[in-house]
Amino acid sequence: MARKKEGPERRIVADNRKARHAYSIESTLEAGLMLMGSEVKALRSGKANIAESYAQAKGGEIFLINSYIPEYTMANRFNHEPRRPRKVLVHKKEARRLASAVQREGMTLVPLKVYFTPKGVAKLELGVARGKKLHDKRQSEKARDWERSKARLLRGRG
């Protein structure tokens, strides 16, 4: 899995900030999303939410479950369901690999970001993650606090 370069040209629409706290992310993957036109328009407004969503493998395909993209008011009768399952566009080989990792190793697929590329294509950053236990969360919080205080001490000296 090649990680795409992070740059100012990516416009982040929705960010799952809790995911990095609740899960230890093993690897990330950029994937496309199969969206309706009204969903793309609603995404551009920037009111989407992926905080309580997850990805699931069904029948050799990956679906994004429980993500919220609000209805686009101008779409009238051609509008979409705000919380409908959306197909994640990955290669078949990659979908099989992700599905086997989830089944075998006790991992889960967590959406981390939804963003637009410079070409205007909506993409999803998926993370293959393992759930953290309470003591793991405390440990990572201690490490983060120590890094912060270490930086503060070094800044005070120099």
mmCIF file of all heavy atoms in Angstrom, residues 1-48:
data_model
loop_
_atom_site.group_PDB
_atom_site.id
_atom_site.type_symbol
_atom_site.label_atom_id
_atom_site.label_comp_id
_atom_site.label_asym_id
_atom_site.label_seq_id
_atom_site.Cartn_x
_atom_site.Cartn_y
_atom_site.Cartn_z
ATOM 1 N N MET A 1 0.840 -1.185 0.000
ATOM 2 C CA MET A 1 0.000 0.000 0.000
ATOM 3 C C MET A 1 0.880 1.241 0.000
ATOM 4 O O MET A 1 1.564 1.512 0.974
ATOM 5 C CB MET A 1 -0.886 0.020 1.231
ATOM 6 C CG MET A 1 -2.000 -0.982 1.175
ATOM 7 S SD MET A 1 -3.075 -0.881 2.594
ATOM 8 C CE MET A 1 -2.004 -1.464 3.873
ATOM 9 N N ALA A 2 0.810 1.950 -1.080
ATOM 10 C CA ALA A 2 1.581 3.186 -1.185
ATOM 11 C C ALA A 2 0.787 4.324 -0.563
ATOM 12 O O ALA A 2 -0.378 4.522 -0.893
ATOM 13 C CB ALA A 2 1.879 3.479 -2.643
ATOM 14 N N ARG A 3 1.399 5.012 0.318
ATOM 15 C CA ARG A 3 0.723 6.129 0.968
ATOM 16 C C ARG A 3 0.847 7.354 0.075
ATOM 17 O O ARG A 3 1.926 7.698 -0.387
ATOM 18 C CB ARG A 3 1.354 6.400 2.327
ATOM 19 C CG ARG A 3 0.614 7.468 3.086
ATOM 20 C CD ARG A 3 1.047 7.456 4.533
ATOM 21 N NE ARG A 3 0.640 8.673 5.173
ATOM 22 C CZ ARG A 3 -0.499 8.806 5.832
ATOM 23 N NH1 ARG A 3 -1.302 7.797 5.938
ATOM 24 N NH2 ARG A 3 -0.809 9.950 6.395
ATOM 25 N N LYS A 4 -0.262 8.010 -0.164
ATOM 26 C CA LYS A 4 -0.275 9.201 -1.008
ATOM 27 C C LYS A 4 0.333 10.359 -0.240
ATOM 28 O O LYS A 4 0.214 10.450 0.976
ATOM 29 C CB LYS A 4 -1.711 9.568 -1.425
ATOM 30 C CG LYS A 4 -2.372 8.505 -2.262
ATOM 31 C CD LYS A 4 -1.762 8.498 -3.627
ATOM 32 C CE LYS A 4 -2.425 7.427 -4.467
ATOM 33 N NZ LYS A 4 -1.893 7.307 -5.771
ATOM 34 N N LYS A 5 0.989 11.262 -0.984
ATOM 35 C CA LYS A 5 1.618 12.384 -0.301
ATOM 36 C C LYS A 5 0.565 13.344 0.238
ATOM 37 O O LYS A 5 -0.472 13.571 -0.384
ATOM 38 C CB LYS A 5 2.582 13.110 -1.235
ATOM 39 C CG LYS A 5 1.910 13.852 -2.367
ATOM 40 C CD LYS A 5 2.919 14.662 -3.119
ATOM 41 C CE LYS A 5 2.186 15.523 -4.137
ATOM 42 N NZ LYS A 5 3.017 16.447 -4.793
ATOM 43 N N GLU A 6 0.834 13.837 1.383
ATOM 44 C CA GLU A 6 -0.057 14.793 2.049
ATOM 45 C C GLU A 6 0.320 16.174 1.537
ATOM 46 O O GLU A 6 1.479 16.552 1.570
ATOM 47 C CB GLU A 6 0.151 14.708 3.559
ATOM 48 C CG GLU A 6 -0.846 15.493 4.362
ATOM 49 C CD GLU A 6 -1.982 14.634 4.838
ATOM 50 O OE1 GLU A 6 -1.874 13.411 4.813
ATOM 51 O OE2 GLU A 6 -2.991 15.212 5.239
ATOM 52 N N GLY A 7 -0.638 16.896 1.059
ATOM 53 C CA GLY A 7 -0.319 18.215 0.540
ATOM 54 C C GLY A 7 -1.452 19.192 0.756
ATOM 55 O O GLY A 7 -2.548 18.804 1.142
ATOM 56 N N PRO A 8 -1.188 20.463 0.490
ATOM 57 C CA PRO A 8 -2.218 21.475 0.688
ATOM 58 C C PRO A 8 -3.332 21.379 -0.356
ATOM 59 O O PRO A 8 -4.381 21.962 -0.184
ATOM 60 C CB PRO A 8 -1.453 22.796 0.553
ATOM 61 C CG PRO A 8 -0.273 22.454 -0.283
ATOM 62 C CD PRO A 8 0.059 21.022 0.032
ATOM 63 N N GLU A 9 -3.100 20.608 -1.430
ATOM 64 C CA GLU A 9 -4.108 20.526 -2.474
ATOM 65 C C GLU A 9 -5.263 19.601 -2.111
ATOM 66 O O GLU A 9 -6.291 19.624 -2.753
ATOM 67 C CB GLU A 9 -3.477 20.087 -3.801
ATOM 68 C CG GLU A 9 -2.908 18.690 -3.813
ATOM 69 C CD GLU A 9 -1.470 18.614 -3.351
ATOM 70 O OE1 GLU A 9 -0.854 19.642 -3.073
ATOM 71 O OE2 GLU A 9 -0.959 17.480 -3.258
ATOM 72 N N ARG A 10 -5.091 18.766 -1.077
ATOM 73 C CA ARG A 10 -6.187 17.899 -0.630
ATOM 74 C C ARG A 10 -7.113 18.691 0.282
ATOM 75 O O ARG A 10 -6.680 19.217 1.296
ATOM 76 C CB ARG A 10 -5.648 16.700 0.129
ATOM 77 C CG ARG A 10 -4.982 15.715 -0.760
ATOM 78 C CD ARG A 10 -4.593 14.426 -0.112
ATOM 79 N NE ARG A 10 -4.807 14.294 1.307
ATOM 80 C CZ ARG A 10 -4.654 13.174 1.960
ATOM 81 N NH1 ARG A 10 -4.269 12.101 1.342
ATOM 82 N NH2 ARG A 10 -4.858 13.109 3.256
ATOM 83 N N ARG A 11 -8.393 18.771 -0.076
ATOM 84 C CA ARG A 11 -9.356 19.502 0.732
ATOM 85 C C ARG A 11 -10.143 18.503 1.566
ATOM 86 O O ARG A 11 -10.991 17.783 1.044
ATOM 87 C CB ARG A 11 -10.289 20.310 -0.172
ATOM 88 C CG ARG A 11 -11.084 21.346 0.599
ATOM 89 C CD ARG A 11 -11.814 22.264 -0.337
ATOM 90 N NE ARG A 11 -12.955 21.625 -0.958
ATOM 91 C CZ ARG A 11 -14.159 21.521 -0.396
ATOM 92 N NH1 ARG A 11 -14.365 22.004 0.801
ATOM 93 N NH2 ARG A 11 -15.146 20.942 -1.033
ATOM 94 N N ILE A 12 -9.854 18.456 2.867
ATOM 95 C CA ILE A 12 -10.493 17.486 3.760
ATOM 96 C C ILE A 12 -11.915 17.937 4.058
ATOM 97 O O ILE A 12 -12.164 19.068 4.453
ATOM 98 C CB ILE A 12 -9.681 17.332 5.055
ATOM 99 C CG1 ILE A 12 -8.313 16.744 4.720
ATOM 100 C CG2 ILE A 12 -10.412 16.451 6.041
ATOM 101 C CD1 ILE A 12 -7.373 16.683 5.879
ATOM 102 N N VAL A 13 -12.851 17.010 3.845
ATOM 103 C CA VAL A 13 -14.275 17.288 4.046
ATOM 104 C C VAL A 13 -14.722 16.785 5.413
ATOM 105 O O VAL A 13 -15.411 17.479 6.145
ATOM 106 C CB VAL A 13 -15.108 16.615 2.935
ATOM 107 C CG1 VAL A 13 -16.580 16.833 3.157
ATOM 108 C CG2 VAL A 13 -14.698 17.137 1.581
ATOM 109 N N ALA A 14 -14.330 15.550 5.749
ATOM 110 C CA ALA A 14 -14.703 14.956 7.034
ATOM 111 C C ALA A 14 -13.483 14.244 7.608
ATOM 112 O O ALA A 14 -12.749 13.586 6.877
ATOM 113 C CB ALA A 14 -15.848 13.977 6.853
ATOM 114 N N ASP A 15 -13.291 14.392 8.904
ATOM 115 C CA ASP A 15 -12.127 13.812 9.573
ATOM 116 C C ASP A 15 -12.603 13.034 10.790
ATOM 117 O O ASP A 15 -13.429 13.528 11.560
ATOM 118 C CB ASP A 15 -11.185 14.948 9.993
ATOM 119 C CG ASP A 15 -9.800 14.457 10.326
ATOM 120 O OD1 ASP A 15 -9.525 13.267 10.097
ATOM 121 O OD2 ASP A 15 -8.993 15.270 10.800
ATOM 122 N N ASN A 16 -12.100 11.821 10.957
ATOM 123 C CA ASN A 16 -12.450 10.990 12.104
ATOM 124 C C ASN A 16 -11.333 11.103 13.133
ATOM 125 O O ASN A 16 -10.406 10.306 13.151
ATOM 126 C CB ASN A 16 -12.649 9.541 11.652
ATOM 127 C CG ASN A 16 -13.276 8.692 12.720
ATOM 128 O OD1 ASN A 16 -13.471 9.130 13.850
ATOM 129 N ND2 ASN A 16 -13.593 7.469 12.375
ATOM 130 N N ARG A 17 -11.408 12.111 13.981
ATOM 131 C CA ARG A 17 -10.334 12.381 14.933
ATOM 132 C C ARG A 17 -10.305 11.371 16.074
ATOM 133 O O ARG A 17 -9.262 11.107 16.656
ATOM 134 C CB ARG A 17 -10.475 13.792 15.472
ATOM 135 C CG ARG A 17 -10.282 14.837 14.364
ATOM 136 C CD ARG A 17 -10.521 16.228 14.835
ATOM 137 N NE ARG A 17 -9.603 16.555 15.913
ATOM 138 C CZ ARG A 17 -9.758 17.604 16.695
ATOM 139 N NH1 ARG A 17 -10.771 18.418 16.532
ATOM 140 N NH2 ARG A 17 -8.894 17.856 17.644
ATOM 141 N N LYS A 18 -11.457 10.796 16.421
ATOM 142 C CA LYS A 18 -11.519 9.827 17.511
ATOM 143 C C LYS A 18 -10.867 8.496 17.139
ATOM 144 O O LYS A 18 -10.504 7.720 18.017
ATOM 145 C CB LYS A 18 -12.968 9.554 17.900
ATOM 146 C CG LYS A 18 -13.578 10.606 18.773
ATOM 147 C CD LYS A 18 -14.946 10.152 19.224
ATOM 148 C CE LYS A 18 -15.525 11.121 20.228
ATOM 149 N NZ LYS A 18 -16.847 10.678 20.688
ATOM 150 N N ALA A 19 -10.739 8.232 15.835
ATOM 151 C CA ALA A 19 -10.220 6.933 15.395
ATOM 152 C C ALA A 19 -8.804 6.693 15.895
ATOM 153 O O ALA A 19 -8.467 5.593 16.317
ATOM 154 C CB ALA A 19 -10.259 6.843 13.879
ATOM 155 N N ARG A 20 -7.968 7.708 15.868
ATOM 156 C CA ARG A 20 -6.574 7.540 16.297
ATOM 157 C C ARG A 20 -6.483 7.340 17.813
ATOM 158 O O ARG A 20 -5.506 6.796 18.299
ATOM 159 C CB ARG A 20 -5.744 8.731 15.867
ATOM 160 C CG ARG A 20 -5.779 8.897 14.365
ATOM 161 C CD ARG A 20 -4.428 9.206 13.809
ATOM 162 N NE ARG A 20 -4.510 9.434 12.386
ATOM 163 C CZ ARG A 20 -4.081 8.592 11.463
ATOM 164 N NH1 ARG A 20 -3.553 7.454 11.823
ATOM 165 N NH2 ARG A 20 -4.177 8.869 10.197
ATOM 166 N N HIS A 21 -7.498 7.784 18.540
ATOM 167 C CA HIS A 21 -7.526 7.583 19.991
ATOM 168 C C HIS A 21 -8.030 6.180 20.335
ATOM 169 O O HIS A 21 -7.474 5.513 21.207
ATOM 170 C CB HIS A 21 -8.416 8.636 20.640
ATOM 171 C CG HIS A 21 -8.582 8.452 22.111
ATOM 172 N ND1 HIS A 21 -7.565 8.698 23.002
ATOM 173 C CD2 HIS A 21 -9.633 8.021 22.849
ATOM 174 C CE1 HIS A 21 -7.997 8.434 24.228
ATOM 175 N NE2 HIS A 21 -9.238 8.024 24.159
ATOM 176 N N ALA A 22 -9.063 5.738 19.654
ATOM 177 C CA ALA A 22 -9.695 4.468 19.994
ATOM 178 C C ALA A 22 -9.036 3.260 19.335
ATOM 179 O O ALA A 22 -9.230 2.133 19.783
ATOM 180 C CB ALA A 22 -11.168 4.512 19.599
ATOM 181 N N TYR A 23 -8.272 3.480 18.255
ATOM 182 C CA TYR A 23 -7.664 2.369 17.516
ATOM 183 C C TYR A 23 -6.186 2.632 17.298
ATOM 184 O O TYR A 23 -5.758 3.772 17.188
ATOM 185 C CB TYR A 23 -8.318 2.210 16.132
ATOM 186 C CG TYR A 23 -9.791 1.926 16.175
ATOM 187 C CD1 TYR A 23 -10.719 2.947 16.027
ATOM 188 C CD2 TYR A 23 -10.262 0.633 16.361
ATOM 189 C CE1 TYR A 23 -12.078 2.691 16.061
ATOM 190 C CE2 TYR A 23 -11.616 0.362 16.398
ATOM 191 C CZ TYR A 23 -12.513 1.390 16.246
ATOM 192 O OH TYR A 23 -13.858 1.138 16.282
ATOM 193 N N SER A 24 -5.425 1.558 17.200
ATOM 194 C CA SER A 24 -4.040 1.689 16.739
ATOM 195 C C SER A 24 -4.060 1.312 15.267
ATOM 196 O O SER A 24 -4.371 0.183 14.907
ATOM 197 C CB SER A 24 -3.105 0.798 17.536
ATOM 198 O OG SER A 24 -3.450 -0.552 17.385
ATOM 199 N N ILE A 25 -3.755 2.278 14.410
ATOM 200 C CA ILE A 25 -3.854 2.105 12.966
ATOM 201 C C ILE A 25 -2.599 1.386 12.476
ATOM 202 O O ILE A 25 -1.485 1.885 12.649
ATOM 203 C CB ILE A 25 -4.001 3.471 12.256
ATOM 204 C CG1 ILE A 25 -5.247 4.192 12.511
ATOM 205 C CG2 ILE A 25 -3.985 3.290 10.747
ATOM 206 C CD1 ILE A 25 -6.204 4.354 13.304
ATOM 207 N N GLU A 26 -2.781 0.212 11.869
ATOM 208 C CA GLU A 26 -1.662 -0.578 11.354
ATOM 209 C C GLU A 26 -1.209 -0.051 9.991
ATOM 210 O O GLU A 26 -0.029 0.101 9.746
ATOM 211 C CB GLU A 26 -2.074 -2.052 11.214
ATOM 212 C CG GLU A 26 -2.636 -2.664 12.474
ATOM 213 C CD GLU A 26 -1.603 -2.900 13.546
ATOM 214 O OE1 GLU A 26 -0.481 -3.272 13.211
ATOM 215 O OE2 GLU A 26 -1.944 -2.697 14.718
ATOM 216 N N SER A 27 -2.165 0.190 9.094
ATOM 217 C CA SER A 27 -1.835 0.689 7.763
ATOM 218 C C SER A 27 -3.017 1.493 7.219
ATOM 219 O O SER A 27 -4.137 1.333 7.687
ATOM 220 C CB SER A 27 -1.512 -0.472 6.822
ATOM 221 O OG SER A 27 -2.639 -1.305 6.678
ATOM 222 N N THR A 28 -2.730 2.354 6.260
ATOM 223 C CA THR A 28 -3.787 3.159 5.658
ATOM 224 C C THR A 28 -3.869 2.868 4.171
ATOM 225 O O THR A 28 -2.921 2.355 3.571
ATOM 226 C CB THR A 28 -3.549 4.667 5.868
ATOM 227 O OG1 THR A 28 -2.316 5.021 5.261
ATOM 228 C CG2 THR A 28 -3.557 5.025 7.332
ATOM 229 N N LEU A 29 -4.992 3.229 3.579
ATOM 230 C CA LEU A 29 -5.263 2.937 2.194
ATOM 231 C C LEU A 29 -6.160 4.023 1.625
ATOM 232 O O LEU A 29 -7.131 4.423 2.281
ATOM 233 C CB LEU A 29 -5.947 1.568 2.122
ATOM 234 C CG LEU A 29 -6.746 1.174 0.909
ATOM 235 C CD1 LEU A 29 -5.776 0.793 -0.206
ATOM 236 C CD2 LEU A 29 -7.623 0.007 1.239
ATOM 237 N N GLU A 30 -5.840 4.514 0.448
ATOM 238 C CA GLU A 30 -6.689 5.494 -0.216
ATOM 239 C C GLU A 30 -7.634 4.738 -1.137
ATOM 240 O O GLU A 30 -7.202 3.904 -1.931
ATOM 241 C CB GLU A 30 -5.843 6.472 -1.025
ATOM 242 C CG GLU A 30 -6.675 7.536 -1.705
ATOM 243 C CD GLU A 30 -5.842 8.462 -2.552
ATOM 244 O OE1 GLU A 30 -5.151 7.969 -3.466
ATOM 245 O OE2 GLU A 30 -5.875 9.669 -2.290
ATOM 246 N N ALA A 31 -8.921 5.041 -1.042
ATOM 247 C CA ALA A 31 -9.921 4.359 -1.856
ATOM 248 C C ALA A 31 -10.941 5.371 -2.369
ATOM 249 O O ALA A 31 -11.123 6.430 -1.776
ATOM 250 C CB ALA A 31 -10.627 3.293 -1.029
ATOM 251 N N GLY A 32 -11.600 5.003 -3.422
ATOM 252 C CA GLY A 32 -12.663 5.843 -3.956
ATOM 253 C C GLY A 32 -13.983 5.515 -3.289
ATOM 254 O O GLY A 32 -14.109 4.509 -2.595
ATOM 255 N N LEU A 33 -14.964 6.351 -3.520
ATOM 256 C CA LEU A 33 -16.307 6.133 -2.991
ATOM 257 C C LEU A 33 -17.302 6.215 -4.136
ATOM 258 O O LEU A 33 -17.190 7.104 -4.983
ATOM 259 C CB LEU A 33 -16.663 7.220 -1.972
ATOM 260 C CG LEU A 33 -16.253 7.010 -0.541
ATOM 261 C CD1 LEU A 33 -16.534 8.253 0.268
ATOM 262 C CD2 LEU A 33 -16.972 5.841 0.063
ATOM 263 N N MET A 34 -18.264 5.304 -4.161
ATOM 264 C CA MET A 34 -19.310 5.366 -5.167
ATOM 265 C C MET A 34 -20.431 6.248 -4.609
ATOM 266 O O MET A 34 -21.140 5.838 -3.691
ATOM 267 C CB MET A 34 -19.830 3.972 -5.505
ATOM 268 C CG MET A 34 -20.776 3.964 -6.679
ATOM 269 S SD MET A 34 -21.317 2.316 -7.104
ATOM 270 C CE MET A 34 -19.929 1.760 -8.055
ATOM 271 N N LEU A 35 -20.545 7.454 -5.147
ATOM 272 C CA LEU A 35 -21.495 8.434 -4.636
ATOM 273 C C LEU A 35 -22.477 8.861 -5.714
ATOM 274 O O LEU A 35 -22.176 8.795 -6.907
ATOM 275 C CB LEU A 35 -20.738 9.680 -4.142
ATOM 276 C CG LEU A 35 -19.725 9.485 -3.025
ATOM 277 C CD1 LEU A 35 -18.946 10.762 -2.804
ATOM 278 C CD2 LEU A 35 -20.420 9.063 -1.761
ATOM 279 N N MET A 36 -23.631 9.327 -5.273
ATOM 280 C CA MET A 36 -24.599 9.941 -6.179
ATOM 281 C C MET A 36 -24.216 11.416 -6.340
ATOM 282 O O MET A 36 -23.449 11.963 -5.545
ATOM 283 C CB MET A 36 -26.003 9.835 -5.587
ATOM 284 C CG MET A 36 -26.494 8.412 -5.450
ATOM 285 S SD MET A 36 -28.049 8.299 -4.549
ATOM 286 C CE MET A 36 -29.158 9.176 -5.614
ATOM 287 N N GLY A 37 -24.769 12.060 -7.342
ATOM 288 C CA GLY A 37 -24.455 13.459 -7.602
ATOM 289 C C GLY A 37 -24.819 14.372 -6.447
ATOM 290 O O GLY A 37 -24.068 15.287 -6.093
ATOM 291 N N SER A 38 -25.977 14.103 -5.825
ATOM 292 C CA SER A 38 -26.398 14.945 -4.702
ATOM 293 C C SER A 38 -25.470 14.765 -3.501
ATOM 294 O O SER A 38 -25.268 15.685 -2.719
ATOM 295 C CB SER A 38 -27.844 14.628 -4.314
ATOM 296 O OG SER A 38 -27.976 13.274 -3.925
ATOM 297 N N GLU A 39 -24.881 13.571 -3.365
ATOM 298 C CA GLU A 39 -23.942 13.337 -2.267
ATOM 299 C C GLU A 39 -22.652 14.124 -2.474
ATOM 300 O O GLU A 39 -22.098 14.669 -1.519
ATOM 301 C CB GLU A 39 -23.626 11.846 -2.153
ATOM 302 C CG GLU A 39 -24.776 11.035 -1.623
ATOM 303 C CD GLU A 39 -24.503 9.557 -1.637
ATOM 304 O OE1 GLU A 39 -23.899 9.050 -2.588
ATOM 305 O OE2 GLU A 39 -24.918 8.900 -0.658
ATOM 306 N N VAL A 40 -22.181 14.194 -3.707
ATOM 307 C CA VAL A 40 -20.971 14.955 -3.996
ATOM 308 C C VAL A 40 -21.212 16.432 -3.705
ATOM 309 O O VAL A 40 -20.393 17.107 -3.095
ATOM 310 C CB VAL A 40 -20.523 14.742 -5.452
ATOM 311 C CG1 VAL A 40 -19.323 15.605 -5.779
ATOM 312 C CG2 VAL A 40 -20.191 13.277 -5.695
ATOM 313 N N LYS A 41 -22.365 16.930 -4.134
ATOM 314 C CA LYS A 41 -22.709 18.335 -3.875
ATOM 315 C C LYS A 41 -22.782 18.602 -2.373
ATOM 316 O O LYS A 41 -22.307 19.625 -1.891
ATOM 317 C CB LYS A 41 -24.055 18.679 -4.509
ATOM 318 C CG LYS A 41 -24.046 18.632 -6.008
ATOM 319 C CD LYS A 41 -23.678 19.962 -6.533
ATOM 320 C CE LYS A 41 -24.017 20.026 -8.012
ATOM 321 N NZ LYS A 41 -23.792 21.352 -8.544
ATOM 322 N N ALA A 42 -23.387 17.685 -1.630
ATOM 323 C CA ALA A 42 -23.495 17.847 -0.179
ATOM 324 C C ALA A 42 -22.123 17.759 0.484
ATOM 325 O O ALA A 42 -21.859 18.473 1.457
ATOM 326 C CB ALA A 42 -24.429 16.790 0.397
ATOM 327 N N LEU A 43 -21.241 16.904 -0.028
ATOM 328 C CA LEU A 43 -19.881 16.807 0.516
ATOM 329 C C LEU A 43 -19.129 18.120 0.343
ATOM 330 O O LEU A 43 -18.366 18.521 1.207
ATOM 331 C CB LEU A 43 -19.094 15.699 -0.176
ATOM 332 C CG LEU A 43 -19.194 14.301 0.399
ATOM 333 C CD1 LEU A 43 -18.386 13.335 -0.449
ATOM 334 C CD2 LEU A 43 -18.739 14.252 1.826
ATOM 335 N N ARG A 44 -19.331 18.767 -0.791
ATOM 336 C CA ARG A 44 -18.637 20.029 -1.052
ATOM 337 C C ARG A 44 -19.022 21.110 -0.047
ATOM 338 O O ARG A 44 -18.248 22.021 0.211
ATOM 339 C CB ARG A 44 -18.914 20.515 -2.467
ATOM 340 C CG ARG A 44 -18.243 19.643 -3.494
ATOM 341 C CD ARG A 44 -18.212 20.276 -4.853
ATOM 342 N NE ARG A 44 -17.787 19.327 -5.858
ATOM 343 C CZ ARG A 44 -16.533 18.945 -6.062
ATOM 344 N NH1 ARG A 44 -15.569 19.433 -5.312
ATOM 345 N NH2 ARG A 44 -16.228 18.079 -6.999
ATOM 346 N N SER A 45 -20.209 20.997 0.537
ATOM 347 C CA SER A 45 -20.617 21.958 1.564
ATOM 348 C C SER A 45 -19.852 21.727 2.868
ATOM 349 O O SER A 45 -19.797 22.605 3.725
ATOM 350 C CB SER A 45 -22.123 21.893 1.809
ATOM 351 O OG SER A 45 -22.454 20.677 2.439
ATOM 352 N N GLY A 46 -19.277 20.519 3.053
ATOM 353 C CA GLY A 46 -18.410 20.241 4.203
ATOM 354 C C GLY A 46 -19.119 19.867 5.484
ATOM 355 O O GLY A 46 -18.561 20.015 6.556
ATOM 356 N N LYS A 47 -20.326 19.343 5.415
ATOM 357 C CA LYS A 47 -21.061 18.998 6.637
ATOM 358 C C LYS A 47 -21.180 17.491 6.848
ATOM 359 O O LYS A 47 -22.043 17.031 7.574
ATOM 360 C CB LYS A 47 -22.446 19.636 6.597
ATOM 361 C CG LYS A 47 -22.379 21.141 6.714
ATOM 362 C CD LYS A 47 -23.758 21.748 6.755
ATOM 363 C CE LYS A 47 -23.718 23.223 7.012
ATOM 364 N NZ LYS A 47 -23.013 23.986 6.018
ATOM 365 N N ALA A 48 -20.315 16.720 6.243
ATOM 366 C CA ALA A 48 -20.364 15.265 6.389
ATOM 367 C C ALA A 48 -19.755 14.845 7.725
ATOM 368 O O ALA A 48 -18.974 15.579 8.322
ATOM 369 C CB ALA A 48 -19.618 14.610 5.248
#
